[in-house]
Amino acid sequence: MTEAKQHHILAIGGHAGDMDLTAGAVIAKYTQAGQRATFLHLTPGEKGHPRMTPEDYAKQKIDEAHQFAEIVGADVRFLAYKDAELPLDEEVKYQVADVIREVKPDIIITHWKESIHKDHANTHYIVEDARFYAGLKTIERELPSHYAQHLYYADNWEDPYDFHPEVFIDIPEEAYETWVRAMNVYAYARGETYGFPFIEYYKALTIVRGAPMNFKRAQAFAVPRGVLTKRLQFF
């Protein structure tokens, strides 16, 4: 019998919570199937609280990110950048490339490029170059090269412009319930910062994305140009 292929998802977001909400149900599905997943947050997203200082909220967001990852069975990493100050430069690209070489994902999920938040847009371009740098043997770093074969863009309400989902992943009940429980660790997701009902929005979005595919629930992803629409159980 041929052993099932092992997958490792690396979900790279501009802020803690971005990939958790947009791809967390798929990540829970993968980890519950015995696969690996890692969140890489480029900033905590610490400037999004109207009553807490960025320093205090950063500590809270980092703690919440670790709680979320533990619930869904994933690892979590942070880079040392500040919310709304994420640069689009070679230094951060190589830092992300080094993480790719270290954790060796075959699947990367990140932001779509057209966003109302510059950190999201910058993350998109950072990841595209970092994936390229990580895969080039001729770029010498501390770790050997690794090419992540698959790249997907998550369905984020802040990244809506020209976002066309082409991959729809079925979300089973156990993964869905785990993801909902995990989302509730984030104060902002519960609506405690500016009142936006993130949890209810993303729960509803799984129905919106699933129904046309004849799934009860799904999370949807855009893909690099040239990849056809697919109806899948896994990536």
Side-chain angles (χ1 to χ4, degrees), residues 138-193:
T138 49
I139 293 180
E140 294 186 4
R141 304 287 289 175
E142 183 177 345
L143 295 172
S145 65
H146 172 80
Y147 180 68
Q149 185 175 2
H150 303 288
L151 176 62
Y152 298 95
Y153 306 117
D155 191 3
N156 189 310
W157 80 273
E158 292 180 296
D159 310 340
Y161 307 112
D162 296 322
F163 179 85
H164 301 294
E166 294 188 278
V167 174
F168 302 82
I169 304 296
D170 179 40
I171 304 300
E173 199 67 26
E174 183 180 2
Y176 175 77
E177 295 297 339
T178 300
W179 171 62
V180 171
R181 180 160 54 92
M183 284 195 292
N184 274 279
V185 306
Y186 277 109
Y188 89 90
R190 299 192 301 266
E192 296 176 12
T193 54

Side-chain angles (χ1 to χ4, degrees), residues 7-231:
H7 294 285
H8 190 163
I9 295 176
L10 177 61
I12 306 174
H15 316 103
D18 287 335
M19 293 296 112
D20 312 54
L21 272 57
T22 58
V26 168
I27 285 171
K29 177 177 182 174
Y30 267 70
T31 60
Q32 288 169 4
Q35 310 297 330
R36 296 184 60 200
T38 301
F39 290 100
L40 174 60
H41 306 305
L42 304 190
T43 85
E46 74 279 6
K47 293 178 181 174
H49 201 294
R51 296 172 299 279
M52 295 179 68
T53 66
E55 293 75 20
D56 288 342
Y57 193 39
K59 294 175 184 177
Q60 179 175 312
K61 286 290 297 290
I62 291 169
D63 181 63
E64 290 167 343
H66 281 276
Q67 290 181 58
F68 184 101
E70 182 176 1
I71 291 170
V72 301
D75 296 323
V76 63
R77 307 285 189 89
F78 277 87
L79 294 190
Y81 292 97
K82 294 182 179 181
D83 187 10
E85 299 178 37
L86 179 65
L88 182 57
D89 61 23
E90 295 303 291
E91 181 177 358
V92 64
K93 292 174 185 178
Y94 277 109
Q95 288 176 342
V96 174
D98 287 343
V99 175
I100 294 171
R101 289 186 175 199
E102 179 186 353
V103 306
K104 297 180 174 62
D106 59 312
I107 299 164
I108 293 176
I109 303 173
T110 193
H111 291 279
W112 176 239
K113 61 186 175 182
E114 301 292 343
S115 179
I116 65 175
H117 200 307
K118 78 179 188 72
D119 285 350
H120 292 196
N122 284 357
T123 298
H124 173 94
Y125 292 108
I126 288 165
V127 171
E128 289 203 330
D129 283 352
R131 178 184 179 227
F132 177 66
Y133 295 167
L136 277 180
K137 295 180 180 180
T138 49
I139 293 180
E140 294 186 4
R141 304 287 289 175
E142 183 177 345
L143 295 172
S145 65
H146 172 80
Y147 180 68
Q149 185 175 2
H150 303 288
L151 176 62
Y152 298 95
Y153 306 117
D155 191 3
N156 189 310
W157 80 273
E158 292 180 296
D159 310 340
Y161 307 112
D162 296 322
F163 179 85
H164 301 294
E166 294 188 278
V167 174
F168 302 82
I169 304 296
D170 179 40
I171 304 300
E173 199 67 26
E174 183 180 2
Y176 175 77
E177 295 297 339
T178 300
W179 171 62
V180 171
R181 180 160 54 92
M183 284 195 292
N184 274 279
V185 306
Y186 277 109
Y188 89 90
R190 299 192 301 266
E192 296 176 12
T193 54
Y194 290 97
F196 187 88
F198 284 95
I199 293 173
E200 295 307 313
Y201 175 88
Y202 283 106
K203 286 167 60 178
L205 189 59
T206 63
I207 296 173
V208 171
R209 294 309 192 191
M213 297 294 110
N214 200 30
F215 289 145
K216 181 178 180 181
R217 300 185 182 94
Q219 286 191 312
F221 301 85
V223 293
R225 183 177 298 177
V227 178
L228 299 178
T229 301
K230 297 179 181 179
R231 182 183 184 277

